[in-house]
Amino acid sequence: HTFQSFKYTFEGFWRNWKRMIEIGIPTGNTGVGSGGVGGTGKFVLFAGDDTERQMDVDLDPRNSQAEKRPITVYGYEYGLANMAAFLSQVMVDGIYDDACDELSEQ
């Protein structure tokens, strides 16, 4: 059976997503983490940008001599992948008993 979560809402997701982008989570070590918006010593999420990135992708990653194909990746695609990972992590960690809205390892 599946049941609707009463603690998980879009508003809660959006509030926490923005917090992860703008403020970040302290790592407890000033030498670890991003130097971006959240500052050094914090992990922050990259939500994407409109930068176009050119890269070569191996057609067969198991073979170092394999042919490469040029592709274009946009920053928003990284942001969408990060959003999917963020959502899946939150759901895996909390939906089981519908008891918490963030990961706590204390």
XYZ file of all heavy atoms in Angstrom:
831
model
N 0.829 -1.197 0.000
C 0.000 0.000 0.000
C 0.866 1.252 0.000
O 1.899 1.289 0.628
C -0.897 0.027 1.234
C -1.869 -1.105 1.260
N -2.967 -1.150 0.440
C -1.911 -2.210 2.020
C -3.641 -2.253 0.703
N -3.028 -2.920 1.647
N 0.371 2.267 -0.658
C 1.046 3.567 -0.613
C 0.119 4.563 0.053
O -1.088 4.528 -0.132
C 1.379 4.081 -2.018
O 0.673 3.383 -2.980
C 2.806 4.063 -2.309
N 0.722 5.446 0.828
C -0.039 6.452 1.539
C 0.558 7.819 1.270
O 1.769 7.961 1.127
C -0.016 6.176 3.045
C -0.609 4.852 3.409
C 0.205 3.757 3.617
C -1.985 4.702 3.517
C -0.334 2.534 3.941
C -2.532 3.476 3.836
C -1.714 2.386 4.049
N -0.305 8.802 1.230
C 0.141 10.174 1.036
C 0.894 10.645 2.274
O 0.486 10.388 3.403
C -1.068 11.061 0.797
C -0.745 12.519 0.707
C -2.002 13.361 0.533
O -3.071 12.854 0.294
N -1.851 14.650 0.669
N 1.977 11.348 2.068
C 2.722 11.933 3.181
C 2.069 13.249 3.556
O 1.775 14.086 2.707
C 4.177 12.189 2.783
O 4.824 12.912 3.790
N 1.832 13.434 4.830
C 1.253 14.691 5.296
C 2.326 15.665 5.756
O 2.063 16.831 5.974
C 0.250 14.425 6.415
C -0.946 13.676 5.916
C -1.077 12.326 6.140
C -1.929 14.326 5.176
C -2.171 11.631 5.660
C -3.023 13.637 4.692
C -3.153 12.283 4.932
N 3.549 15.185 5.923
C 4.637 16.065 6.348
C 5.423 16.610 5.162
O 6.075 17.624 5.287
C 5.573 15.332 7.291
C 4.940 15.013 8.612
C 5.971 14.549 9.597
C 5.298 14.230 10.897
N 5.591 15.199 11.918
N 5.399 15.927 4.031
C 6.157 16.360 2.870
C 5.269 17.182 1.953
O 4.255 16.692 1.463
C 6.740 15.168 2.108
C 7.797 14.455 2.901
C 7.509 13.306 3.611
C 9.084 14.965 2.944
C 8.487 12.681 4.355
C 10.065 14.338 3.678
C 9.757 13.192 4.378
O 10.729 12.572 5.103
N 5.651 18.427 1.744
C 4.898 19.318 0.869
C 5.864 19.986 -0.094
O 7.076 20.017 0.139
C 4.191 20.418 1.676
O 5.183 21.215 2.333
C 3.235 19.820 2.704
N 5.327 20.532 -1.161
C 6.181 21.255 -2.090
C 6.812 22.464 -1.409
O 7.979 22.769 -1.634
C 5.397 21.695 -3.333
C 6.260 22.450 -4.297
C 7.149 21.773 -5.115
C 6.225 23.832 -4.349
C 7.981 22.470 -5.981
C 7.049 24.530 -5.219
C 7.928 23.841 -6.034
N 6.049 23.157 -0.576
C 6.579 24.327 0.117
C 7.781 23.950 0.988
O 8.785 24.658 1.028
C 5.500 24.998 0.967
C 4.410 25.658 0.173
C 3.363 24.660 -0.360
O 3.276 23.526 0.139
O 2.654 25.034 -1.306
N 7.696 22.829 1.694
C 8.809 22.371 2.522
C 10.015 21.991 1.689
O 11.157 22.302 2.035
N 9.757 21.306 0.582
C 10.847 20.947 -0.323
C 11.535 22.209 -0.837
O 12.756 22.319 -0.810
C 10.317 20.127 -1.506
C 11.188 20.211 -2.726
C 12.417 19.572 -2.751
C 10.804 20.952 -3.830
C 13.243 19.670 -3.867
C 11.609 21.057 -4.939
C 12.835 20.406 -4.950
N 10.752 23.167 -1.317
C 11.317 24.378 -1.912
C 12.110 25.181 -0.886
O 13.178 25.694 -1.183
C 10.207 25.224 -2.530
C 10.727 26.262 -3.447
C 10.670 27.610 -3.268
C 11.427 26.060 -4.679
N 11.264 28.256 -4.313
C 11.739 27.328 -5.199
C 11.802 24.931 -5.393
C 12.427 27.495 -6.396
C 12.483 25.107 -6.584
C 12.788 26.368 -7.068
N 11.604 25.282 0.331
C 12.309 25.996 1.406
C 13.678 25.348 1.670
O 14.698 26.030 1.757
C 11.446 26.005 2.671
C 12.054 26.779 3.822
C 11.159 26.760 5.063
N 10.909 25.400 5.531
C 9.743 24.784 5.470
N 8.687 25.384 4.957
N 9.608 23.554 5.906
N 13.708 24.031 1.777
C 14.969 23.330 2.056
C 15.905 23.350 0.853
O 17.122 23.436 1.007
C 14.697 21.899 2.513
C 14.181 21.871 3.924
O 14.814 22.405 4.822
N 13.019 21.300 4.119
N 15.351 23.246 -0.354
C 16.164 23.315 -1.573
C 16.874 24.661 -1.630
O 18.070 24.738 -1.869
C 15.263 23.093 -2.777
C 15.929 23.261 -4.105
C 15.741 24.288 -4.971
C 16.892 22.402 -4.718
N 16.519 24.108 -6.085
C 17.236 22.969 -5.962
C 17.503 21.216 -4.343
C 18.151 22.376 -6.819
C 18.413 20.627 -5.198
C 18.726 21.206 -6.419
N 16.145 25.755 -1.412
C 16.733 27.092 -1.433
C 17.789 27.245 -0.332
O 18.826 27.863 -0.538
C 15.649 28.150 -1.294
C 14.860 28.329 -2.578
C 13.732 29.307 -2.437
C 14.231 30.675 -2.046
N 13.162 31.666 -1.968
N 17.522 26.668 0.840
C 18.504 26.731 1.927
C 19.800 26.030 1.536
O 20.893 26.518 1.804
C 17.923 26.094 3.188
C 18.828 26.300 4.404
C 18.259 25.633 5.626
N 19.079 24.459 5.851
C 18.649 23.303 6.265
N 17.388 23.110 6.510
N 19.474 22.301 6.439
N 19.682 24.882 0.868
C 20.875 24.144 0.456
C 21.667 24.916 -0.601
O 22.882 24.811 -0.664
C 20.480 22.770 -0.094
C 19.928 21.835 0.941
S 21.176 21.295 2.098
C 22.247 20.396 1.020
N 20.991 25.697 -1.438
C 21.660 26.481 -2.470
C 22.298 27.728 -1.885
O 23.442 28.048 -2.153
C 20.659 26.884 -3.573
C 20.156 25.659 -4.297
C 21.275 27.870 -4.543
C 18.946 25.932 -5.168
N 21.534 28.454 -1.073
C 21.957 29.765 -0.602
C 22.844 29.724 0.640
O 23.764 30.511 0.764
C 20.726 30.626 -0.322
C 19.921 30.900 -1.580
C 18.578 31.540 -1.294
O 18.229 31.723 -0.101
O 17.870 31.852 -2.268
N 22.554 28.822 1.553
C 23.280 28.793 2.823
C 24.208 27.588 2.912
O 25.348 27.699 3.317
C 22.290 28.773 4.004
C 21.434 30.036 3.967
C 23.030 28.653 5.329
C 20.267 30.015 4.923
N 23.710 26.426 2.555
C 24.502 25.207 2.627
C 24.436 24.567 3.998
O 23.718 25.020 4.891
N 25.192 23.512 4.163
C 25.261 22.777 5.428
C 26.705 22.787 5.891
O 27.603 22.423 5.141
C 24.802 21.320 5.249
C 23.349 21.280 4.823
C 25.002 20.525 6.522
C 22.860 19.887 4.533
N 26.968 23.204 7.129
C 28.352 23.205 7.624
C 28.950 21.801 7.598
O 28.288 20.826 7.917
C 28.221 23.697 9.068
C 26.881 24.327 9.164
C 26.018 23.679 8.119
N 30.220 21.720 7.197
C 30.899 20.424 7.165
C 31.621 20.134 8.475
O 32.037 19.019 8.704
C 31.941 20.375 6.034
O 32.945 21.346 6.301
C 31.310 20.622 4.688
N 31.795 21.157 9.290
C 32.550 20.987 10.517
C 34.043 21.141 10.294
O 34.840 21.010 11.205
N 34.442 21.442 9.054
C 35.850 21.589 8.709
C 35.964 22.736 7.721
O 35.442 22.655 6.619
C 36.363 20.285 8.104
C 37.828 20.331 7.746
O 38.454 21.388 7.710
N 38.383 19.171 7.478
N 36.642 23.785 8.090
C 36.737 24.956 7.224
C 37.508 24.668 5.938
O 37.417 25.430 4.989
C 37.403 26.137 7.941
O 38.678 25.710 8.423
C 36.542 26.611 9.086
N 38.254 23.580 5.886
C 39.006 23.257 4.690
C 38.252 22.371 3.715
O 38.755 22.013 2.670
N 37.011 21.988 4.065
C 36.239 21.071 3.228
C 34.958 21.752 2.788
O 34.307 22.435 3.558
C 35.871 19.790 4.014
C 35.005 18.871 3.177
C 37.120 19.084 4.469
N 34.602 21.561 1.547
C 33.335 22.096 1.064
C 33.544 23.085 -0.056
O 34.626 23.234 -0.600
N 32.509 23.778 -0.367
C 32.497 24.678 -1.506
C 32.916 26.077 -1.119
O 32.619 26.551 -0.045
C 31.084 24.711 -2.090
O 30.979 25.735 -3.045
N 33.569 26.754 -2.016
C 33.880 28.162 -1.831
C 32.834 29.032 -2.492
O 33.004 30.226 -2.622
N 31.713 28.443 -2.906
C 30.666 29.175 -3.614
C 29.808 29.999 -2.688
O 30.265 30.524 -1.677
N 28.546 30.090 -3.002
C 27.622 30.943 -2.271
C 27.609 30.623 -0.790
O 27.592 31.508 0.051
C 26.193 30.800 -2.864
C 25.226 31.650 -2.100
C 26.205 31.180 -4.338
N 27.605 29.345 -0.442
C 27.558 28.950 0.968
C 28.862 29.172 1.698
O 28.902 29.191 2.911
N 29.943 29.360 0.978
C 31.237 29.637 1.594
C 32.017 28.384 1.925
O 31.493 27.282 1.933
N 33.285 28.570 2.211
C 34.165 27.460 2.557
C 33.707 26.820 3.857
O 33.314 27.485 4.790
C 35.607 27.960 2.683
O 35.971 28.534 1.433
C 36.556 26.839 3.012
N 33.816 25.507 3.932
C 33.409 24.780 5.127
C 31.942 24.401 5.104
O 31.408 23.940 6.087
N 31.293 24.587 3.969
C 29.890 24.217 3.836
C 29.674 23.501 2.509
O 30.320 23.795 1.524
C 28.998 25.460 3.867
C 29.029 26.185 5.180
C 28.049 27.318 5.196
C 28.106 27.976 6.545
N 27.096 29.000 6.691
N 28.769 22.536 2.521
C 28.346 21.901 1.286
C 27.142 22.666 0.761
O 26.192 22.907 1.499
C 27.955 20.436 1.514
C 29.135 19.551 1.793
C 29.261 18.911 2.996
C 30.109 19.364 0.825
C 30.347 18.089 3.247
C 31.203 18.542 1.068
C 31.311 17.908 2.283
N 27.184 23.068 -0.482
C 26.060 23.746 -1.110
C 25.679 22.977 -2.375
O 26.509 22.302 -2.971
C 26.386 25.215 -1.466
C 26.584 26.043 -0.216
C 27.599 25.311 -2.356
N 24.429 23.072 -2.761
C 23.961 22.426 -3.981
C 24.079 23.375 -5.156
O 23.791 24.563 -5.041
C 22.491 22.025 -3.840
C 22.209 20.772 -3.038
C 20.710 20.577 -2.874
C 22.816 19.558 -3.699
N 24.490 22.850 -6.289
C 24.530 23.617 -7.524
C 23.183 23.441 -8.205
O 22.798 22.339 -8.578
C 25.663 23.126 -8.424
C 25.722 23.809 -9.757
C 25.974 25.166 -9.839
C 25.520 23.096 -10.922
C 26.027 25.807 -11.071
C 25.576 23.723 -12.151
C 25.828 25.082 -12.225
N 22.442 24.533 -8.359
C 21.102 24.460 -8.932
C 21.100 24.708 -10.425
O 20.056 24.699 -11.048
C 20.191 25.453 -8.240
N 22.251 24.933 -11.016
C 22.325 25.121 -12.451
C 22.520 26.575 -12.839
O 22.389 27.480 -12.028
N 22.862 26.763 -14.091
C 23.023 28.092 -14.673
C 22.811 27.962 -16.171
O 22.460 26.897 -16.659
C 24.400 28.680 -14.344
C 25.550 27.795 -14.800
O 25.356 26.973 -15.725
O 26.646 27.921 -14.241
N 23.001 29.036 -16.900
C 22.787 28.961 -18.343
C 24.090 28.812 -19.120
O 24.149 29.071 -20.309
C 21.997 30.169 -18.838
C 22.700 31.479 -18.554
O 23.765 31.469 -17.920
O 22.169 32.520 -18.982
N 25.134 28.343 -18.445
C 26.420 28.138 -19.092
C 26.381 26.880 -19.966
O 25.893 25.837 -19.550
C 27.538 27.987 -18.033
O 27.539 29.141 -17.220
C 28.885 27.807 -18.689
N 26.917 27.016 -21.146
C 27.014 25.895 -22.078
C 28.395 25.278 -21.924
O 29.395 25.970 -22.000
C 26.816 26.426 -23.495
C 26.721 25.387 -24.547
C 26.451 26.009 -25.908
O 25.363 26.578 -26.101
O 27.356 25.926 -26.752
N 28.453 23.972 -21.686
C 29.723 23.280 -21.504
C 29.901 22.253 -22.608
O 29.022 21.443 -22.839
C 29.759 22.613 -20.137
C 29.742 23.601 -18.986
C 29.378 22.897 -17.683
N 29.439 23.789 -16.554
C 28.435 24.566 -16.159
N 27.287 24.557 -16.815
N 28.565 25.353 -15.112
N 31.058 22.293 -23.248
C 31.383 21.330 -24.297
C 32.260 20.238 -23.688
O 33.203 20.539 -22.968
C 32.145 22.017 -25.438
C 31.416 23.176 -26.067
C 30.171 22.732 -26.811
O 30.124 21.660 -27.400
N 29.148 23.567 -26.771
N 31.942 19.002 -23.959
C 32.774 17.901 -23.468
C 32.726 16.746 -24.437
O 31.821 16.646 -25.252
C 32.350 17.477 -22.059
C 30.894 17.251 -21.861
S 30.434 16.758 -20.176
C 30.808 18.178 -19.234
N 33.733 15.904 -24.333
C 33.799 14.694 -25.149
C 33.449 13.503 -24.270
O 34.025 13.326 -23.201
C 35.199 14.509 -25.735
C 35.535 15.579 -26.755
O 34.613 16.018 -27.466
O 36.702 15.980 -26.834
N 32.513 12.699 -24.730
C 32.054 11.543 -23.981
C 32.533 10.276 -24.670
O 32.414 10.136 -25.891
C 30.512 11.539 -23.881
C 30.011 10.298 -23.186
C 30.024 12.781 -23.183
N 33.088 9.360 -23.873
C 33.513 8.063 -24.411
C 32.287 7.265 -24.822
O 31.347 7.127 -24.046
C 34.275 7.260 -23.353
C 35.602 7.878 -23.011
O 36.196 8.513 -23.891
O 36.033 7.738 -21.853
N 32.304 6.733 -26.031
C 31.206 5.880 -26.471
C 31.241 4.533 -25.761
O 30.220 3.885 -25.596
C 31.244 5.706 -27.986
C 31.009 6.993 -28.778
C 31.080 6.705 -30.269
C 29.676 7.612 -28.420
N 32.416 4.114 -25.328
C 32.558 2.898 -24.528
C 33.498 3.218 -23.367
O 34.722 3.157 -23.510
C 33.124 1.757 -25.372
C 33.238 0.452 -24.592
O 32.895 0.426 -23.382
O 33.676 -0.542 -25.185
N 32.964 3.588 -22.189
C 33.811 4.004 -21.067
C 34.750 2.917 -20.545
O 35.704 3.204 -19.840
C 32.815 4.426 -19.993
C 31.498 3.941 -20.428
C 31.564 3.644 -21.885
N 34.514 1.656 -20.921
C 35.394 0.571 -20.479
C 36.664 0.493 -21.306
O 37.623 -0.161 -20.923
C 34.645 -0.761 -20.545
C 33.446 -0.818 -19.592
C 32.589 -1.996 -19.885
N 31.988 -1.758 -21.205
C 31.237 -2.619 -21.855
N 31.000 -3.792 -21.353
N 30.733 -2.319 -23.028
N 36.661 1.169 -22.447
C 37.796 1.108 -23.363
C 38.415 2.504 -23.474
O 37.807 3.418 -24.029
C 37.306 0.620 -24.730
C 38.413 0.538 -25.754
O 39.556 0.894 -25.488
N 38.070 0.076 -26.941
N 39.629 2.668 -22.968
C 40.274 3.981 -22.981
C 40.595 4.459 -24.400
O 40.817 5.644 -24.615
C 41.547 3.957 -22.134
O 42.473 3.036 -22.666
N 40.642 3.555 -25.356
C 40.924 3.917 -26.740
C 39.646 4.140 -27.559
O 39.708 4.350 -28.768
C 41.758 2.810 -27.405
C 43.057 2.495 -26.685
C 43.969 3.709 -26.626
O 44.126 4.424 -27.597
N 44.561 3.935 -25.478
N 38.492 4.084 -26.898
C 37.219 4.185 -27.613
C 37.030 5.560 -28.229
O 37.596 6.555 -27.771
C 36.066 3.886 -26.658
N 36.220 5.591 -29.240
C 35.883 6.840 -29.915
C 35.121 7.759 -28.949
O 34.354 7.304 -28.108
C 35.003 6.505 -31.118
C 34.580 7.697 -31.922
C 33.661 7.312 -33.067
O 33.484 6.105 -33.325
O 33.120 8.236 -33.693
N 35.370 9.059 -29.103
C 34.685 10.039 -28.269
C 33.693 10.809 -29.117
O 33.878 10.995 -30.302
C 35.681 10.997 -27.634
C 36.619 10.322 -26.659
C 37.536 11.343 -26.009
C 38.544 10.714 -25.107
N 38.021 10.137 -23.916
N 32.624 11.244 -28.467
C 31.601 12.021 -29.162
C 31.437 13.364 -28.456
O 31.248 13.403 -27.237
C 30.286 11.269 -29.151
C 29.165 12.004 -29.851
C 27.919 11.197 -29.857
N 27.557 10.831 -28.495
C 26.333 10.570 -28.088
N 25.356 10.600 -28.941
N 26.090 10.252 -26.851
N 31.513 14.468 -29.166
C 31.331 15.773 -28.531
C 29.856 15.996 -28.189
O 28.968 15.681 -28.981
C 31.806 16.769 -29.588
C 31.678 16.058 -30.878
C 31.828 14.584 -30.587
N 29.601 16.494 -26.980
C 28.239 16.823 -26.574
C 28.233 18.198 -25.920
O 29.270 18.710 -25.499
C 27.647 15.780 -25.602
C 28.441 15.737 -24.301
C 27.552 14.414 -26.236
C 27.747 14.986 -23.199
N 27.073 18.776 -25.826
C 26.880 20.045 -25.140
C 26.003 19.791 -23.935
O 24.948 19.167 -24.039
C 26.194 21.072 -26.064
O 27.003 21.237 -27.225
C 26.016 22.400 -25.370
N 26.446 20.256 -22.772
C 25.678 20.115 -21.538
C 25.465 21.512 -20.973
O 26.398 22.313 -20.914
C 26.419 19.234 -20.504
C 25.621 19.109 -19.233
C 26.714 17.867 -21.085
N 24.249 21.792 -20.574
C 23.915 23.092 -19.996
C 23.852 22.986 -18.478
O 23.546 21.937 -17.933
C 22.579 23.587 -20.545
C 22.623 23.817 -22.035
C 22.274 22.810 -22.919
C 23.055 25.026 -22.551
C 22.333 23.014 -24.290
C 23.122 25.239 -23.925
C 22.758 24.226 -24.780
O 22.819 24.427 -26.133
N 24.132 24.088 -17.806
C 24.140 24.101 -16.345
C 22.829 23.677 -15.729
O 22.806 23.030 -14.687
N 21.698 24.010 -16.379
C 20.417 23.636 -15.793
C 20.248 22.116 -15.755
O 19.533 21.578 -14.916
C 19.248 24.311 -16.511
C 18.995 23.822 -17.912
C 18.209 22.694 -18.144
C 19.535 24.477 -19.015
C 17.978 22.242 -19.430
C 19.299 24.025 -20.302
C 18.529 22.911 -20.504
O 18.298 22.459 -21.776
N 20.920 21.386 -16.660
C 20.842 19.925 -16.637
C 21.528 19.372 -15.387
O 21.049 18.416 -14.781
C 21.466 19.344 -17.902
C 20.663 19.699 -19.143
C 21.360 19.338 -20.436
O 22.589 19.538 -20.547
O 20.659 18.858 -21.338
N 22.630 19.984 -14.985
C 23.275 19.601 -13.719
C 22.337 19.904 -12.554
O 22.210 19.127 -11.609
C 24.582 20.371 -13.520
C 25.726 19.912 -14.372
C 26.119 20.639 -15.483
C 26.433 18.769 -14.053
C 27.186 20.235 -16.263
C 27.504 18.346 -14.827
C 27.876 19.091 -15.934
O 28.920 18.680 -16.697
N 21.692 21.052 -12.615
C 20.762 21.439 -11.559
C 19.597 20.472 -11.425
O 19.204 20.102 -10.320
N 19.035 20.036 -12.547
C 17.937 19.074 -12.505
C 18.395 17.728 -11.937
O 17.672 17.093 -11.175
C 17.337 18.885 -13.898
C 16.517 20.053 -14.421
C 16.128 19.820 -15.880
C 15.280 20.273 -13.572
N 19.592 17.306 -12.308
C 20.131 16.050 -11.751
C 20.332 16.176 -10.244
O 20.012 15.257 -9.484
C 21.443 15.681 -12.438
N 20.835 17.322 -9.791
C 21.007 17.540 -8.352
C 19.664 17.562 -7.633
O 19.532 17.051 -6.524
C 21.771 18.839 -8.085
C 23.253 18.685 -8.294
O 23.778 17.574 -8.312
N 23.936 19.789 -8.470
N 18.655 18.165 -8.264
C 17.335 18.198 -7.653
C 16.770 16.788 -7.519
O 16.194 16.432 -6.484
C 16.385 19.068 -8.470
C 15.013 19.216 -7.839
S 13.909 20.259 -8.803
C 14.507 21.875 -8.351
N 16.935 15.955 -8.535
C 16.455 14.574 -8.473
C 17.174 13.796 -7.374
O 16.543 13.047 -6.616
C 16.660 13.889 -9.821
N 18.482 13.994 -7.255
C 19.238 13.307 -6.201
C 18.800 13.788 -4.819
O 18.653 12.992 -3.888
C 20.740 13.550 -6.392
N 18.588 15.092 -4.683
C 18.131 15.670 -3.411
C 16.780 15.073 -3.017
O 16.600 14.612 -1.887
C 18.038 17.189 -3.570
C 17.568 17.930 -2.360
C 18.442 18.228 -1.335
C 16.259 18.362 -2.257
C 18.020 18.938 -0.217
C 15.825 19.070 -1.152
C 16.704 19.357 -0.128
N 15.835 15.049 -3.940
C 14.511 14.493 -3.647
C 14.571 13.017 -3.287
O 13.926 12.572 -2.342
C 13.587 14.688 -4.850
C 12.964 16.051 -5.009
C 12.226 16.139 -6.334
C 12.031 16.349 -3.861
N 15.341 12.255 -4.044
C 15.401 10.821 -3.760
C 16.048 10.549 -2.414
O 15.596 9.673 -1.677
C 16.118 10.077 -4.881
O 17.465 10.469 -4.956
N 17.072 11.312 -2.055
C 17.720 11.120 -0.759
C 16.765 11.445 0.390
O 16.672 10.704 1.367
C 18.973 11.994 -0.647
C 19.756 11.783 0.625
C 20.391 10.422 0.706
O 20.926 9.941 -0.275
N 20.319 9.789 1.855
N 16.042 12.532 0.262
C 15.085 12.906 1.298
C 14.010 11.839 1.447
O 13.656 11.455 2.557
C 14.452 14.281 0.972
C 13.269 14.574 1.863
C 15.491 15.379 1.108
N 13.508 11.347 0.340
C 12.442 10.350 0.402
C 12.943 9.034 1.004
O 12.287 8.444 1.839
C 11.859 10.095 -0.993
C 11.206 11.299 -1.602
S 9.566 11.793 -1.064
C 9.544 12.254 0.559
N 14.112 8.612 0.596
C 14.662 7.363 1.129
C 14.884 7.468 2.633
O 14.558 6.552 3.384
C 15.994 7.004 0.415
C 16.756 5.942 1.173
C 15.717 6.555 -1.003
N 15.412 8.611 3.076
C 15.745 8.769 4.488
C 14.545 9.015 5.388
O 14.599 8.724 6.573
C 16.751 9.909 4.674
C 18.115 9.569 4.132
O 18.435 8.368 4.042
O 18.870 10.490 3.797
N 13.462 9.561 4.857
C 12.397 9.948 5.752
C 11.012 9.409 5.522
O 10.222 9.368 6.465
N 10.668 8.972 4.349
C 9.278 8.623 4.069
C 8.845 7.327 4.747
O 7.660 7.124 4.988
C 9.019 8.547 2.546
C 7.536 8.655 2.240
C 9.593 7.275 1.966
C 6.935 9.970 2.567
N 9.788 6.485 5.103
C 9.449 5.190 5.690
C 8.484 5.337 6.858
O 7.463 4.685 6.936
C 10.710 4.445 6.107
C 10.415 3.122 6.758
C 9.986 2.041 6.005
C 10.535 2.963 8.129
C 9.689 0.832 6.603
C 10.247 1.762 8.730
C 9.821 0.698 7.966
O 9.524 -0.493 8.555
N 8.808 6.223 7.808
C 7.909 6.385 8.947
C 7.261 7.767 8.991
O 6.600 8.100 9.962
C 8.638 6.111 10.258
C 9.806 7.042 10.477
O 10.087 7.891 9.614
O 10.439 6.922 11.537
N 7.451 8.584 7.933
C 6.828 9.905 7.832
C 7.103 10.734 9.086
O 6.250 11.439 9.583
C 5.325 9.772 7.593
C 4.731 11.042 7.000
O 5.483 11.799 6.360
O 3.533 11.277 7.181
N 8.355 10.621 9.605
C 8.642 11.260 10.879
C 9.617 12.411 10.815
O 9.725 13.155 11.768
C 9.184 10.211 11.858
N 10.360 12.577 9.734
C 11.341 13.652 9.722
C 11.390 14.305 8.349
O 10.970 13.728 7.366
C 12.728 13.147 10.111
S 13.411 11.981 8.948
N 11.898 15.543 8.299
C 11.962 16.243 7.014
C 13.368 16.542 6.569
O 13.580 17.225 5.598
C 11.123 17.527 7.055
C 11.620 18.490 8.103
O 12.591 18.181 8.801
O 11.012 19.566 8.217
N 14.364 16.054 7.291
C 15.746 16.202 6.840
C 16.602 15.121 7.472
O 16.240 14.549 8.484
C 16.307 17.582 7.160
C 16.420 17.873 8.643
C 16.903 19.280 8.910
O 16.360 20.222 8.341
O 17.826 19.401 9.721
N 17.719 14.870 6.871
C 18.645 13.854 7.372
C 19.323 14.358 8.627
O 19.850 15.473 8.658
C 19.685 13.532 6.307
C 20.762 12.529 6.690
C 20.142 11.188 7.024
C 21.762 12.390 5.563
N 19.310 13.597 9.685
C 19.985 13.965 10.930
C 20.805 12.772 11.375
O 20.269 11.700 11.612
C 18.987 14.337 12.011
O 19.653 14.613 13.207
N 22.123 12.967 11.478
C 22.992 11.851 11.864
C 23.506 12.012 13.284
O 24.567 11.535 13.628
C 24.153 11.755 10.874
C 23.686 11.394 9.494
C 24.823 11.233 8.521
O 25.982 11.278 8.924
O 24.536 11.045 7.329
N 22.776 12.714 14.129
C 23.212 12.929 15.517
C 22.803 11.780 16.394
O 21.857 11.128 16.231
C 22.631 14.221 16.056
C 23.129 15.411 15.291
C 22.507 16.711 15.786
O 21.697 16.693 16.697
N 22.888 17.798 15.182
